[in-house]
């Protein structure tokens, strides 16, 4: 709609054949931070409540910021959208997250009771070209999925151009990894070690 996008749902019992259920969350054009589109959805269920994280992209500020909607049912009109980004971009134009807080993945750590999020960040776009921004990813944690405490990046940013972005968690034999796109446009991973 008007060049933007909304979020739809499809389900499968085998991971191959999917049934489309239609749009479950529409962008709210009255909210500047998502006035152009919403996308890159990610679902997490806690008890009987679904949490849907997504990016919102605004026509005016031209930033990509992390939003949240939640509810007991995944259907249009059944999710409550948080009206402001849960992880906004920085207002400091020199900050590593001044242009994007975007694609993300979330895991729960039962040892400390925190949800941990890994998410991509970038500097501001250069003349609306995010391919010329500096990219990496960072982390945040939350006890309630609503309020997120952000952490400092552990990898330095790419030197203009995509890289170290699109992160996701994967645990293999008890070791937690973050997979991401590297500067060569290939998938790479880093291992995480507790301090």
């Amino acid at each position: 709609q008007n060049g933007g996008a909304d979020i739809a749902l499809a389900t499968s019992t085998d991971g191959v054949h999917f049934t489309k259920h239609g749009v479950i969350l529409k962008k709210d054009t009255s909210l500047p931070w998502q006035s152009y589109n919403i996308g890159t959805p990610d679902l997490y269920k806690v008890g009987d409540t679904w949490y849907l994280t997504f990016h919102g992209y605004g026509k005016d500020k031209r930033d990509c910021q992390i939003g949240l909607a939640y509810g007991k049912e995944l259907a249009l009109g059944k999710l409550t959208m948080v009206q402001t980004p849960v992880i906004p971009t920085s207002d400091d134009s020199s900050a590593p997250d001044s242009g994007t807080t975007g694609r993300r993945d979330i895991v729960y750590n039962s040892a400390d009771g925190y949800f941990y999020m890994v998410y991509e960040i970038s500097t501001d776009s250069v003349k609306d070209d995010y391919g010329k921004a500096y990219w990496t990813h960072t982390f945040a944690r939350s006890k309630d999925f609503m309020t997120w405490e952000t952490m400092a990046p552990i990898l330095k940013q790419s030197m203009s151009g995509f890289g170290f972005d699109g992160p996701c968690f994967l645990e293999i034999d008890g070791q937690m990894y973050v997979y991401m796109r590297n500067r060569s446009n290939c998938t790479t991973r880093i291992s995480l070690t507790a301090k």
Side-chain angles (χ1 to χ4, degrees), residues 3 10 12-13 33 45 48 66 73 76 78 83-84 88 107 116 118 133-134 165 172 175 177 184:
S12 173
T13 57
W33 65 276
K45 193 173 188 184
D48 61 356
I66 298 173
E73 295 180 52
L76 189 59
K78 299 293 185 179
Q83 297 294 292
T84 58
V107 295
Y116 286 88
V118 59
Y134 289 19
D165 57 342
I172 303 172
Q175 174 64 55
Y177 297 93
S184 301

Side-chain angles (χ1 to χ4, degrees), residues 31-37 56-64:
L31 299 174
W33 65 276
Q34 61 173 262
S35 57
Y36 185 72
N37 74 29
Y57 185 74
K59 291 179 184 176
D60 299 330
K61 193 175 179 189
R62 301 263 188 224
D63 278 6
C64 187

Side-chain angles (χ1 to χ4, degrees), residues 131-145:
K132 294 179 181 172
Y134 289 19
W135 290 81
T136 192
H137 61 272
T138 192
F139 300 87
R141 67 181 187 172
S142 175
K143 291 271 191 179
D144 62 5
F145 238 93

Side-chain angles (χ1 to χ4, degrees), residues 33-129:
W33 65 276
Q34 61 173 262
S35 57
Y36 185 72
N37 74 29
I38 58 176
T40 61
D42 202 42
L43 279 173
Y44 203 100
K45 193 173 188 184
V46 180
D48 61 356
T49 301
W50 288 99
Y51 292 91
L52 173 65
T53 58
F54 59 92
H55 80 252
Y57 185 74
K59 291 179 184 176
D60 299 330
K61 193 175 179 189
R62 301 263 188 224
D63 278 6
C64 187
Q65 303 179 83
I66 298 173
L68 174 69
Y70 60 94
K72 310 268 188 216
E73 295 180 52
L74 294 173
L76 189 59
K78 299 293 185 179
L79 295 170
T80 300
M81 185 185 298
V82 176
Q83 297 294 292
T84 58
V86 291
I87 302 187
T89 51
S90 174
D91 289 330
D92 177 357
S93 62
S94 66
D97 62 350
S98 58
T100 299
T101 60
R103 180 71 184 100
R104 78 228 63 80
D105 194 22
I106 298 169
V107 295
Y108 178 70
N109 182 359
S110 59
D112 64 8
Y114 277 100
F115 296 96
Y116 286 88
M117 179 191 296
V118 59
Y119 61 100
E120 66 186 9
I121 59 175
S122 82
T123 56
D124 285 323
S125 65
V126 178
K127 297 182 180 177
D128 289 332
D129 183 354

